[in-house]
Amino acid sequence: QTTWAEVEDALRGGTVYFNTAGSLWPNLGALCRLTGYAFGLPTNVNVYVTPPGVTTSVPPHTDRQDVLCFQTAGAKRWRVYAPPARKKGVDPLHRGKSGDVLSFGSDLGEPLIDAVVRKGDLLYVPTGFPHTTDTVTDVDGNESEGVLFDEPSVHLTMGLDSCVWMLTFAHLRWCVLQRTGKEFGMEIETDDAYWSAMETIPIGFLAGDDWDSIVKRRKESGELDGEYVSRVMQALKENMIALEPNRWNVDGGMDSAE
């Protein structure tokens, strides 16, 4: 078991984090289960501990999950930005990692959110939105002089893992084309089409108030609700046409494509 003394020693080098913390601590595992039940989506929780005075807790980067950040102790400054233009050969959901660098000047504009998150606060960061944190500066950029950051910052990052579990329209498209023996590789021309395709399919709370009844009927009959299937298929068609407008017969509908 990791002791607090060991954590304090590691904090001298910067942020200490515990990935998949729900598998380490039963109370966080229970939080994952409750969050999964509430949202109807797969979840995972990490824990981050950062000492005061860290100029860059994490450099600007993107993640492949929507995250809910619960500040449980201390404070941390967050800056969240709009997704930058896609870069050839780099996963938009893995920017700022594995040798890729997101520059404040050329890649990122003004932050959408620039705030100090304090104990008891909750912050939501969508999939693919770059973010960076520190425990040095207040929002106006001045050094805090120990007023805000006078103790270690501890926060939980609860990930809603729709992309990790392939619950997006892009993944649904891939499954459909692969199973029907059609070519699924492509070059996405516009950023808007990419981000639309990476939206989570309507499951869980995204399906609306009827999700519980959809699940119930699925368990009882072994089949998905026909109206729900039609709704998902229509959304998938719209995404596929947006991704490859020259491939599909838009006027005649998807039925006459290929």
Side-chain angles (χ1 to χ4, degrees):
Q1 291 185 347
T2 302
T3 66
W4 179 246
E6 291 172 324
V7 173
E8 284 186 316
D9 183 62
L11 285 174
R12 296 188 179 94
T15 295
V16 175
Y17 58 89
F18 302 88
N19 287 337
T20 61
S23 64
L24 303 175
W25 290 287
N27 56 340
L28 295 183
L31 178 61
C32 283
R33 293 190 63 183
L34 288 171
T35 305
Y37 178 78
F39 288 94
L41 295 170
T43 61
N44 175 64
V45 66
N46 300 333
V47 177
Y48 298 85
V49 185
T50 305
V54 175
T55 304
T56 304
S57 175
V58 290
H61 70 282
T62 64
D63 294 315
R64 60 182 59 255
Q65 53 270 117
D66 296 291
V67 296
L68 301 170
C69 302
F70 304 89
Q71 189 73 25
T72 61
K76 179 171 282 188
R77 182 190 182 190
W78 285 75
R79 281 170 285 177
V80 182
Y81 302 84
R86 289 177 302 138
K87 182 179 179 181
K88 187 174 182 179
V90 181
D91 184 351
L93 306 184
H94 202 69
R95 296 298 309 271
K97 302 174 182 178
S98 302
D100 178 60
V101 177
L102 281 172
S103 169
F104 286 109
S106 58
D107 296 314
L108 304 174
E110 292 297 316
L112 301 175
I113 296 176
D114 187 354
V116 174
V117 179
R118 297 172 173 81
K119 180 178 179 180
D121 289 344
L122 169 65
L123 176 67
Y124 168 65
V125 181
T127 301
F129 279 60
H131 48 281
T132 183
T133 61
D134 71 71
T135 54
V136 173
T137 56
D138 202 343
V139 174
D140 61 7
N142 296 323
E143 292 188 2
S144 65
E145 298 180 355
V147 176
L148 288 173
F149 308 108
D150 56 358
E151 62 176 315
S153 163
V154 181
H155 79 268
L156 312 179
T157 293
M158 178 65 69
L160 303 177
D161 288 330
S162 56
C163 290
V164 173
W165 291 95
M166 299 191 294
L167 300 174
T168 69
F169 284 107
H171 292 103
L172 186 56
R173 169 196 173 276
W174 175 80
C175 290
V176 169
L177 294 180
Q178 186 187 55
R179 289 192 177 190
T180 55
K182 298 184 183 298
E183 175 59 41
F184 52 81
M186 66 173 178
E187 290 290 334
I188 302 177
E189 296 183 1
T190 69
D191 289 352
D192 287 344
Y194 172 84
W195 290 112
S196 179
M198 293 308 296
E199 290 181 359
T200 304
I201 58 178
I203 60 174
F205 81 106
L206 296 173
D209 296 335
D210 59 344
W211 179 245
D212 287 341
S213 61
I214 292 171
V215 173
K216 182 179 179 181
R217 285 194 295 270
R218 172 68 176 82
K219 290 180 179 178
E220 292 176 347
S221 66
E223 297 180 357
L224 280 173
D225 180 82
E227 182 179 346
Y228 172 72
V229 172
S230 296
R231 180 152 54 99
V232 174
M233 288 179 60
Q234 180 59 37
L236 177 62
K237 288 179 182 180
E238 294 171 358
N239 268 278
M240 292 177 71
I241 291 172
L243 286 170
E244 299 177 285
N246 296 324
R247 181 178 185 181
W248 309 111
N249 185 340
V250 178
D251 293 332
M254 291 287 285
D255 293 339
S256 59
E258 287 199 354

